[in-house]
Amino acid sequence: GINAEYGRLGIAIGVTSFLGLAWAVIKTVSYRRRNNIIEDCSCTTLSCFVLYLAGCLGMLFFWAITGVSWFYLVIYKGQRAVSVFLPTDDSPFTALLISTFVLLLLYRLFFLLTSTSYDIFFVDWEKPKGKFIPSSTTTKEEAALTSVSIWRTYFLANEWNELHTVRKINPTLQYVALIFFTEYVGFKYLATRQPDAFVDPTDQPYVSESSPILRVGLTTSILFIIWVIQRIWNFLYERFISDQVQQYVDLCSISNISVFILSDQVYGYYIHGRAVHGHADSDMREMTNSLKREEDNLCSKRGLGPDSDQQTFDMVVPVLLRSNYNRVTLPLRARDVRGGGGSDADKQITAYHHINKLFTSYIDHSLDEIDYTISEKMFMEHFLDMEIRDSPTGKARLVTGTLYPDDGQSFESVLYYGNEWLLFTWDVILLATIDYWSGSFVLSAVVTWLVNEVVLSKFSSWRCQRNVATKALIDDRFLL
């Protein structure tokens, strides 16, 4: 009976846990390659392996909990003659629920850390329209760059901060829908221990207490159905109306600014935003005429390659390029220079110009020792999410990078937008765990909303803003 069911569940968890362990190993190997880690073992590598393992096992345990609770919700409540009974001992299910919550909590905090600590830089391609004579304290390049408006960079940085916590669904709608269906429609009575399925208690001579397992099944099923509906709507909205992420890429092209995102030491994402019109600092008439020329195919395409529309890439950067970047930026980060005046501001501005020149020269193939190629990823590289064609210790990795055209917007992986499944499973397990102990759908929905939308989301936005100011060498007083 019940022990046999739990025994089969334990076997299933054991088998899938082995798969989770294997996937965590693959993720760790990918992390080592993308961070150019040569040592056999380190505390950082071990920590990442533990966190990747927590994420993999948390996802697998989540499906185990969902499967068990849905089984009893559908079979137990849908039977005509009673042949299936609820477990008399909920302790194995409780232990699995707590384990899943702890594992996903660790992975959620890991995502919070990594999604707000990557390196990012806004590469300005704009050239001055007039002649500028350098002063005694500035070089010719610095005088030219300071003549270019910085407002386009500030604007894109603020838009990036706003995009950081945008999701593919509306979480508040999820919680409101759960309260509506459970409390108003009466679905909460589907979680009672009696085998009868009903939503109106007035016709019942007796209403038993709720079953924690059935409440978890009811919570996860309602949230999953609403989530699927929202994802379908989001797909149609992006396909036929508006795609916020693609709009940001288009905005980069209009602003004549590219974006370098280094999520790891030698791996990241590139948004090619070099304007095909040459200038972005223009009036309304010039901008309209430029867009009209582009619409009529009277200018080149926006892509990086010749006659290409490809603007977004995964990239592996040369180790030497990363070393030059770190040499300029790390001293400023140690001093926490994010605005203000005096010598620190001068150092920040000088560093900004130097990095801007470094990245524009890299993309233009103008560096003597450092270059890159454009190559398609192999199937296994896509499947494993790992670059496997070059050795981390090889000479080619030292001076040559690779840009991989992506099928969509791969840089979403550092945003909420590209981690919807992780955020959804965390929402569900948090709400289900609170409800499991409180027995109140309203309380669990309100607390979950406060934790996710007020605490975690606001804190993540704050960290993202500080990270952009520090890494992009932008005065944080202009970030809203």
Side-chain angles (χ1 to χ4, degrees), residues 75-85 195:
I75 302 300
Y76 178 73
K77 284 293 185 177
Q79 58 188 341
R80 295 180 179 273
V82 180
S83 58
V84 176
F85 298 90

Side-chain angles (χ1 to χ4, degrees), residues 143-158:
L145 283 170
T146 53
S147 69
V148 175
S149 173
I150 194 64
W151 287 109
R152 291 170 295 105
T153 300
Y154 288 156
F155 179 65
L156 277 178
N158 279 294

Side-chain angles (χ1 to χ4, degrees), residues 9 28 64 81 97 111 140 147 159 181 187 194 249 262 312 314 339 351 370 384 395 417 423 463:
L9 175 62
T28 304
L97 180 66
F111 170 71
K140 182 177 180 180
S147 69
E159 289 297 311
F181 285 111
F187 282 6
Q194 58 202 88
V249 176
L262 293 173
T312 56
D314 297 10
I370 305 174
L384 298 177
K395 183 179 180 181
Y417 210 77
L423 297 173
R463 277 186 55 91

Side-chain angles (χ1 to χ4, degrees), residues 290-331:
S290 297
L291 293 176
K292 178 63 177 176
R293 284 173 50 83
E294 188 174 4
E295 182 180 347
D296 294 336
N297 293 322
L298 299 178
C299 58
S300 59
K301 295 184 179 181
R302 293 182 176 181
L304 176 60
D307 196 31
S308 170
D309 288 320
Q310 186 66 46
Q311 293 182 257
T312 56
F313 301 84
D314 297 10
M315 65 176 178
V316 175
V317 300
V319 175
L320 189 56
L321 180 73
R322 178 72 196 207
S323 299
N324 290 336
Y325 174 80
N326 288 343
R327 179 173 51 82
V328 176
T329 59
L330 289 183

Side-chain angles (χ1 to χ4, degrees), residues 113-333:
L113 176 64
T114 56
S115 66
T116 55
S117 59
Y118 51 83
D119 291 307
I120 184 170
F121 191 84
F122 299 91
V123 182
D124 195 347
W125 295 95
E126 195 74 9
K127 301 298 181 183
K129 295 183 179 181
K131 291 185 177 180
F132 294 86
I133 301 175
S135 67
S136 58
T137 59
T138 61
T139 65
K140 182 177 180 180
E141 290 79 9
E142 289 176 345
L145 283 170
T146 53
S147 69
V148 175
S149 173
I150 194 64
W151 287 109
R152 291 170 295 105
T153 300
Y154 288 156
F155 179 65
L156 277 178
N158 279 294
E159 289 297 311
W160 178 265
N161 289 335
E162 292 183 9
L163 190 64
H164 174 69
T165 54
V166 172
R167 292 183 57 177
K168 294 184 178 181
I169 66 164
N170 185 341
T172 303
L173 179 60
Q174 296 273 114
Y175 310 138
V176 171
L178 176 68
I179 295 175
F180 173 79
F181 285 111
T182 55
E183 300 294 335
Y184 183 77
V185 178
F187 282 6
K188 65 179 180 181
Y189 297 107
L190 295 176
T192 57
R193 290 186 177 275
Q194 58 202 88
D196 310 79
F198 61 90
V199 296
D200 185 5
T202 57
D203 298 333
Q204 301 296 318
Y206 169 74
V207 178
S208 65
E209 63 179 4
S210 297
S211 164
I213 295 179
L214 295 182
R215 290 183 71 92
V216 171
L218 183 63
T219 299
T220 54
S221 59
I222 292 177
L223 291 177
F224 185 75
I225 291 173
I226 301 300
W227 183 78
V228 169
I229 294 174
Q230 288 203 72
R231 287 302 308 273
I232 294 174
W233 165 251
N234 173 260
F235 172 79
L236 296 175
Y237 188 87
E238 286 183 347
R239 180 68 177 82
F240 299 105
I241 301 177
S242 176
D243 184 347
Q244 294 186 71
V245 176
Q246 182 58 46
Q247 283 182 343
Y248 187 82
V249 176
D250 295 336
L251 186 61
C252 289
S253 296
I254 298 299
S255 303
N256 201 17
I257 289 178
S258 296
V259 184
F260 263 78
I261 305 164
L262 293 173
S263 56
D264 297 277
Q265 282 295 309
V266 294
Y267 178 83
Y269 310 95
Y270 175 63
I271 304 174
H272 186 63
R274 193 172 193 173
V276 296
H277 318 295
H279 287 281
D281 282 336
S282 57
D283 57 22
M284 184 180 297
R285 181 177 299 277
E286 184 178 354
M287 180 68 70
T288 302
N289 291 337
S290 297
L291 293 176
K292 178 63 177 176
R293 284 173 50 83
E294 188 174 4
E295 182 180 347
D296 294 336
N297 293 322
L298 299 178
C299 58
S300 59
K301 295 184 179 181
R302 293 182 176 181
L304 176 60
D307 196 31
S308 170
D309 288 320
Q310 186 66 46
Q311 293 182 257
T312 56
F313 301 84
D314 297 10
M315 65 176 178
V316 175
V317 300
V319 175
L320 189 56
L321 180 73
R322 178 72 196 207
S323 299
N324 290 336
Y325 174 80
N326 288 343
R327 179 173 51 82
V328 176
T329 59
L330 289 183
L332 295 177
R333 295 180 198 173

